[in-house]
């Protein structure tokens, strides 16, 4: 009698396991058939009516049935878990053979490549970097550089005025005066890189905004030969050991004597080279010995101190180095131009 009931219950359990299709159901079926209040426990209670021998046989049969149900439930659970994992993997599958999204890395504008190179060369010679404002006072941009009001040299450097006394600086030279006032009597060895502004018509060699690097050395016993040696070293580092420089006398209100510096052309000065127009020399920068008035106006005794200074256009150096034909290319953000300077 009990055997029959056990068999029925066992079959019923197997059927229930068969129909299970989720982990929750596995737990439900386990509860129904194997927990303390389960149907099998109900059968156990009937054991007390059996003989000792009968108890033994029936007990073993129940345990066997329960073991079997436990095993089948675990099998089912493992199968369901595997199925869930397979589905999840399928859902999250990525196709590694699909082409990726190409994020193009940017590069440095050649203006900054050259500016950084120039700065490196001067840092290597022991210069420090100084900076000044781009919106500058007339006082620093002109007056302290020995260019009083109505001086004709102002005509060459017309600019954008904020008011009568404030303007967009026309060169980096005002930083000279600012640093001299700050260092009061102490030796100076600085470069000042930065943007400058002019009311120029934009063409292949002019722009209303461009970059300059100013150099200033003030100390005792500074001579023109120090300037020459410094610029020669700069040019050789920038353009190669074979390059020579040439100093021509010139005029700037803030230097005396003043020089225009030319670099030898790589064509050797023959024929109809467009870079040097056949002369063999290319004008690259201006410089000179700091004018005694400039020294004394900013607190240095010109009898005790001398200085040399120079100013060089960054785009000009870059154009010569890379053979760029038009200054505007630095500002137009044309990737066909810019990509040529990308570091591989
Ligand atoms: N400031 C000048 C200009 O922009 C360049 C220059 C010439 C700077 C001679 C100097 C110098 O320091 O000594 O045209």
């Amino acid at each position: 009698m009990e055997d029959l009931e056990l068999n029925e219950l066992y079959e019923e359990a197997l059927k229930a396991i068969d129909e299970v299709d989720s982990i929750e159901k596995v737990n439900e079926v386990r509860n129904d058939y194997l927990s303390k209040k389960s149907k099998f426990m109900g059968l156990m209670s009937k054991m007390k009516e059996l003989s000792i021998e009968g108890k033994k046989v029936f007990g073993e049969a129940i345990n066997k049935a329960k073991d079997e149900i436990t095993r089948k439930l675990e099998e089912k659970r493992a199968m369901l878990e595997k199925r869930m994992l397979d589905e999840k993997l399928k859902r999250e599958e990525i196709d590694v053979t699909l082409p990726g999204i190409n994020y193009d890395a940017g590069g440095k504008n050649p203006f900054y490549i050259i500016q950084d190179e120039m700065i490196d060369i001067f840092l290597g010679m022991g210069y420090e970097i100084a900076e000044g404002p781009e919106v500058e006072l007339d006082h620093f941009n002109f007056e302290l550089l020995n260019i009083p009001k109505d001086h004709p040299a102002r005509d060459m450097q017309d600019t954008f005025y904020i008011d009568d006394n404030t303007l967009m600086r026309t060169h980096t030279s005002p930083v000279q005066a600012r640093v001299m006032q700050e260092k009061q009597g102490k030796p100076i060895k600085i470069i000042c890189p930065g943007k400058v502004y002019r009311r120029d018509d934009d063409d292949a060699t002019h722009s209303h905004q461009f970059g300059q690097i100013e150099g200033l050395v003030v100390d005792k016993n500074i001579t023109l030969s120090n300037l020459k040696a410094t610029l020669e070293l700069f040019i050789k580092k920038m353009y190669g050991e074979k390059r020579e420089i040439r100093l021509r006398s010139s005029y700037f209100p803030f230097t005396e004597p003043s020089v225009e510096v030319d670099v030898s052309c790589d064509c050797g000065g023959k024929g109809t080279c467009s870079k040097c127009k056949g002369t063999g020399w290319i004008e690259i920068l201006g410089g000179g010995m700091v004018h005694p008035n400039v020294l004394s106006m900013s607190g240095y005794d010109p009898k005790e101190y001398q200085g040399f200074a120079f100013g060089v256009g960054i785009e000009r150096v870059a154009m010569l180095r890379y053979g760029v034909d038009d200054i505007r290319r630095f500002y137009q953000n044309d990737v066909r131009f810019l990509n040529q300077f990308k570091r591989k």
Side-chain angles (χ1 to χ4, degrees), residues 194-210:
K195 293 185 201 126
V196 301
Y197 303 82
R198 302 247 175 120
R199 205 223 65 85
D200 265 338
D201 287 329
D202 291 355
D203 62 26
T205 52
H206 296 90
S207 164
H208 61 276
Q209 179 199 306
F210 57 101

Side-chain angles (χ1 to χ4, degrees), residues 145 147 156-157 170-174 176 196 198 210 212-216 227 251-260 285-291 308-313:
L145 294 171
I147 315 175
M156 288 188 310
Q157 297 196 1
T170 59
H171 46 186
T172 42
S173 305
Q176 289 190 27
V196 301
R198 302 247 175 120
F210 57 101
Q212 280 190 338
I213 291 187
E214 190 82 12
L216 174 69
L227 173 64
Y251 172 76
F252 299 103
F254 34 92
T255 43
E256 183 59 39
S258 301
V259 291
E260 207 78 63
L285 60 93
M289 298 305 291
V290 181
H291 196 290
F308 70 72
F310 57 90
V312 51

Side-chain angles (χ1 to χ4, degrees), residues 73-191:
L73 272 172
E74 282 321 301
E75 247 177 49
K76 190 84 185 196
R77 180 196 298 279
M79 191 275 274
L80 286 168
E81 276 172 357
K82 181 170 182 310
R83 195 170 75 190
M84 268 164 59
L85 183 66
D86 285 349
E87 278 169 7
K88 185 162 185 263
L89 286 176
K90 200 156 177 159
R91 266 201 315 276
E92 293 173 2
E93 194 173 34
I94 43 168
D95 183 353
V96 291
T97 65
L98 278 175
I101 300 164
N102 189 13
Y103 294 104
D104 222 3
K108 239 193 229 174
N109 186 293
F111 174 92
Y112 287 105
I113 297 177
I114 291 295
Q115 175 177 285
D116 289 351
E117 237 181 82
M118 292 167 76
I119 289 173
D120 270 356
I121 293 171
F122 285 105
L123 289 183
M125 291 192 239
Y127 285 73
E128 280 174 37
I129 295 177
E131 283 180 309
E134 286 172 30
V135 178
E136 185 54 286
L137 295 170
D138 184 289
H139 186 60
F140 286 102
N141 196 83
F142 292 129
E143 301 271 344
L144 289 178
L145 294 171
N146 207 25
I147 315 175
K149 292 226 164 29
D150 302 321
H151 190 290
R154 287 199 179 204
D155 287 355
M156 288 188 310
Q157 297 196 1
D158 195 11
T159 183
F160 306 96
Y161 280 80
I162 311 297
D163 59 41
D164 281 353
N165 293 312
T166 323
L167 46 86
M168 301 306 289
R169 68 177 179 191
T170 59
H171 46 186
T172 42
S173 305
V175 188
Q176 289 190 27
R178 285 185 172 274
V179 173
M180 279 192 254
Q181 304 213 338
E182 202 184 290
K183 294 253 175 175
Q184 276 308 316
K186 291 197 209 86
I188 297 171
K189 191 172 178 183
I190 50 138
I191 50 164

Side-chain angles (χ1 to χ4, degrees), residues 217-263:
V217 173
V218 178
D219 208 334
K220 292 172 182 168
N221 303 319
I222 298 291
T223 68
L224 193 66
S225 51
N226 296 131
L227 173 64
K228 190 177 178 201
T230 301
L231 295 177
E232 198 167 278
L233 188 57
F234 164 65
I235 290 295
K236 283 181 189 292
K237 291 227 183 242
M238 202 69 216
Y239 294 109
E241 282 299 319
K242 290 208 188 80
R243 301 292 188 128
E244 302 292 336
I245 60 163
R246 175 175 87 168
L247 269 51
R248 277 180 294 114
S249 100
S250 183
Y251 172 76
F252 299 103
F254 34 92
T255 43
E256 183 59 39
S258 301
V259 291
E260 207 78 63
V261 181
D262 297 340
V263 54

